């Protein structure tokens, strides 16, 4: 029997703008990048309702710096006087360019709090100007122009309309984490152990790639889209050795084509006819024994990078994929999750474990433990009960299992 495909539906992903166009107004001292940064951090648009993805702490910070700008001491030492946004930039890149701590974006937002309701975004080609005065700094958006006798740059009013889908820059490198939003899974227990499994293929095939047919045995609800996983591996706490969850390695996707059945074969022996699947997308080759799980809804929520509201401390529990260490733009799992107050969008500072050595000049040969030193940032993008996945935004040295992390 052919399994009917469910009716496709049209939907608008979370964070999708209500309007297809936007207008930027820029005039000296009036329109600052602050609201632009806030809107882009929060997603594609703002609404007038109560569901702003902004914490009370961030809003309070913005009020404190509203209209005044930020202290010059908060600027990065080599912050440029102006900058033209390039394709491939992210809000993290731009904040890091101008501020000592790129996660402190509310201080940019606070420069022009009264504009918060306008759904502005940052686009490649926009010209940003850093204006300093009275020990404070503002970041304004305007047209490129010639510097005056006193070194200032005049910004003339202009209007520009652009489709929101054409190149607005992201908050963080979304292309790096997009494949993990739905494919990386941590289970509280090894639920895949009893999940439907691939038992065979056509022509006695045991290895499968995209477009191949695979036969699957197990309990299969009538759902069209399924994901394929390899056997789950345990993630253990570097401190206690306790199992925090089971990481299921994503293999690919498959489409449910035909239900399985049972029949009476020769000699009256009952035979099982497995279900039929077509493999539609592959991260790696699938094989006999791989497990299937029904695909859930796509995770298209926007991300708002922010610091934890209180102290937090933990360790890197595992590295995604093979390898003994990881660097910038790679994925790690940390030993804190939803039950520990970790949220999507948390920015964490990762610390290099201080070396242990003997004081050779001490007659007692005292053991020294050098301080842990900050050497990078993590960005949490997926949270489970006791484990979270994070992207390494920056790292001066390799990140290893057991490295500490704290609030930035």
């Amino acid at each position: 029997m052919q399994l009917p495909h469910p009716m496709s539906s049209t939907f608008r992903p979370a964070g999708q703008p209500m309007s297809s166009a936007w207008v930027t107004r820029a005039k000296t001292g009036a329109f600052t990048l602050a609201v632009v940064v806030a809107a882009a951090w929060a997603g594609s648009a703002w609404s007038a309702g109560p569901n702003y993805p902004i914490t009370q702490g961030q809003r309070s910070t913005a009020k404190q710096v509203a209209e005044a700008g930020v202290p010059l001491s908060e600027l990065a030492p080599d912050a440029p006087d102006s900058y033209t946004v390039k394709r491939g930039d992210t809000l993290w890149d731009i904040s890091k360019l101008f501020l000592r701590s790129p996660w402190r974006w509310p201080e940019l937002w606070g420069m022009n709090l009264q504009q918060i309701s306008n759904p502005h975004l940052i686009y490649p080609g926009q010209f940003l100007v850093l204006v300093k005065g009275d020990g404070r700094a503002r970041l304004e958006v305007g047209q490129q122009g010639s510097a005056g006798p006193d070194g200032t740059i005049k910004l003339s009013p202009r209007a520009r309309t652009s489709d929101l889908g054409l190149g607005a820059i992201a908050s963080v490198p979304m292309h790096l984490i997009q494949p993990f939003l739905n494919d990386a899974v941590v289970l509280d227990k090894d639920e895949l152990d009893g999940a439907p499994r691939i038992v065979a293929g056509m022509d006695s095939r045991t290895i499968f790639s995209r477009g191949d047919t695979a036969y699957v045995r197990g309990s299969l609800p009538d759902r069209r889209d399924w994901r394929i996983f390899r056997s789950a591996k345990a993630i253990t706490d570097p401190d206690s050795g306790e199992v925090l969850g089971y990481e299921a390695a994503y293999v690919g996707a498959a489409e449910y084509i035909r239900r399985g059945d049972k029949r009476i074969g020769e000699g009256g022996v009952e035979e099982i006819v497995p279900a039929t699947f077509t493999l539609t997308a592959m991260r790696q080759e699938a094989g006999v024994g791989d497990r299937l799980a029904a695909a859930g809804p796509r995770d298209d929520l926007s991300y708002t990078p922010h610091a934890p509201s209180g102290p937090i401390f933990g360790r890197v529990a595992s590295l995604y994929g093979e390898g003994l260490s990881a660097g910038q733009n790679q994925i790690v799992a940390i030993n804190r999750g939803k039950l520990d107050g970790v949220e999507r969008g948390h920015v964490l500072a990762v610390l290099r474990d201080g070396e242990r050595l003997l004081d050779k000049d001490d007659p007692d040969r005292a053991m020294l433990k050098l301080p842990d030193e900050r050497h990078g940032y993590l960005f949490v993008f997926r949270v489970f009960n006791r484990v979270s996945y994070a992207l390494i935004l920056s790292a001066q040295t390799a990140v290893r299992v057991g490295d500490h992390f704290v609030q930035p």
Side-chain angles (χ1 to χ4, degrees):
M1 180 182 296
Q2 188 76 15
L3 181 69
H5 289 176
M7 181 181 298
S8 61
S9 60
T10 302
F11 66 97
R12 179 171 62 86
Q16 182 70 26
M18 297 294 292
S19 172
S20 62
W22 63 278
V23 177
T24 297
R25 300 182 305 278
K27 49 186 179 179
T28 304
F31 177 50
T32 73
L33 177 62
V35 62
V36 184
V37 172
W41 277 135
S44 297
W46 288 77
S47 68
N51 296 321
Y52 292 163
I54 299 296
T55 68
Q56 188 58 42
Q58 292 162 353
R59 190 174 298 280
S60 175
T61 300
K63 289 179 179 178
Q64 292 173 16
V65 296
E67 299 180 357
V70 296
L72 295 180
S73 60
E74 297 296 334
L75 295 177
D78 54 352
D81 293 327
S82 62
Y83 181 74
T84 301
V85 181
K86 302 187 301 293
R87 187 172 298 279
D89 281 345
T90 65
L91 264 297
W92 177 268
D93 297 328
I94 293 175
S95 293
K96 185 167 57 175
L97 190 67
F98 287 100
L99 293 174
R100 291 180 179 273
S101 302
W103 54 269
R104 300 182 72 169
W105 64 269
E107 297 182 38
L108 285 177
W109 164 33
M111 293 177 185
N112 200 0
L113 193 60
Q114 67 268 26
Q115 297 281 351
I116 192 61
S117 62
N118 294 340
H120 297 288
L121 293 173
I122 296 180
Y123 282 78
Q126 285 186 321
F127 186 60
L128 314 180
V129 181
L130 188 63
V131 179
K132 303 175 185 177
D134 298 325
R136 314 290 291 187
R138 282 181 177 276
L139 203 54
E140 297 180 352
V141 179
Q143 291 178 310
Q144 298 192 36
S146 301
D150 59 353
T152 61
I153 298 177
K154 285 190 174 183
L155 304 178
S156 56
R158 67 167 179 168
R160 173 186 163 203
T161 302
S162 176
D163 189 284
L164 284 171
L166 298 177
I169 68 174
S171 301
V172 295
M174 288 298 295
H175 68 282
L176 296 175
I177 62 178
Q178 193 70 44
F180 297 90
L181 294 182
N182 304 281
D183 301 341
V185 174
V186 175
L187 309 168
D188 290 332
K189 56 184 180 180
D190 193 359
E191 301 166 18
L192 290 179
D193 188 47
R197 72 182 192 279
I198 298 176
V199 294
M202 295 179 64
D203 304 321
S204 302
R205 187 171 298 178
T206 59
I207 300 296
F208 310 94
S209 57
R210 182 179 178 183
D212 286 344
T213 296
Y215 300 119
V216 175
R217 181 182 177 187
S219 176
L220 293 162
D222 287 350
R223 299 189 61 170
R224 173 183 177 180
D225 297 319
W226 292 72
R227 293 178 293 173
I228 307 170
F229 294 94
R230 194 122 306 149
S231 298
K233 69 173 184 179
I235 297 178
T236 58
D237 191 309
D239 291 321
S240 66
E242 181 185 6
V243 174
L244 301 173
Y246 293 86
E247 181 180 81
Y250 178 75
V251 174
E255 183 179 348
Y256 193 179
I257 300 299
R258 185 172 53 242
R259 294 185 180 91
D261 203 355
K262 291 182 179 180
R263 68 180 187 181
I264 303 300
E266 295 181 3
V269 177
E270 183 180 73
E271 297 176 334
I272 297 174
V273 179
T276 303
F277 281 76
T278 296
L279 278 57
T280 56
M282 306 303 297
R283 182 79 58 80
Q284 55 183 303
E285 288 185 324
V288 169
D290 285 347
R291 302 285 180 166
L292 272 70
R298 297 299 299 179
D299 184 350
D300 292 311
L301 296 179
S302 59
Y303 294 86
T304 308
H306 59 285
S309 58
I312 188 170
F313 179 85
R315 291 182 184 266
V316 174
S318 70
L319 313 178
Y320 197 87
E322 303 296 330
L324 300 176
S325 63
Q328 184 174 338
N329 296 337
Q330 290 185 267
I331 306 297
V332 299
I334 61 174
N335 67 339
R336 296 290 184 268
K338 190 181 304 181
L339 299 179
D340 307 293
V342 176
E343 302 172 2
R344 293 157 50 111
H346 269 171
V347 177
L348 307 168
V350 62
L351 307 178
R352 180 175 57 240
D353 195 18
E355 186 180 358
R356 290 174 172 82
L357 48 85
L358 288 173
D359 185 349
K360 297 180 180 179
D361 294 329
D362 183 350
D364 296 328
R365 309 284 286 180
M367 177 64 72
L368 303 179
K369 169 63 169 69
L370 302 186
D372 295 342
E373 296 289 352
R374 182 171 307 190
H375 72 112
Y377 287 106
L378 305 177
F379 174 73
V380 176
F381 65 90
R382 195 150 194 221
V383 180
F384 301 92
N385 284 335
R386 304 179 67 193
V387 176
S388 301
Y389 282 123
L391 173 72
I392 303 174
L393 285 172
S394 61
Q396 298 172 359
T397 59
V399 176
R400 301 179 183 275
V401 170
D403 280 357
H404 293 94
F405 64 83
V406 295
Q407 66 273 22

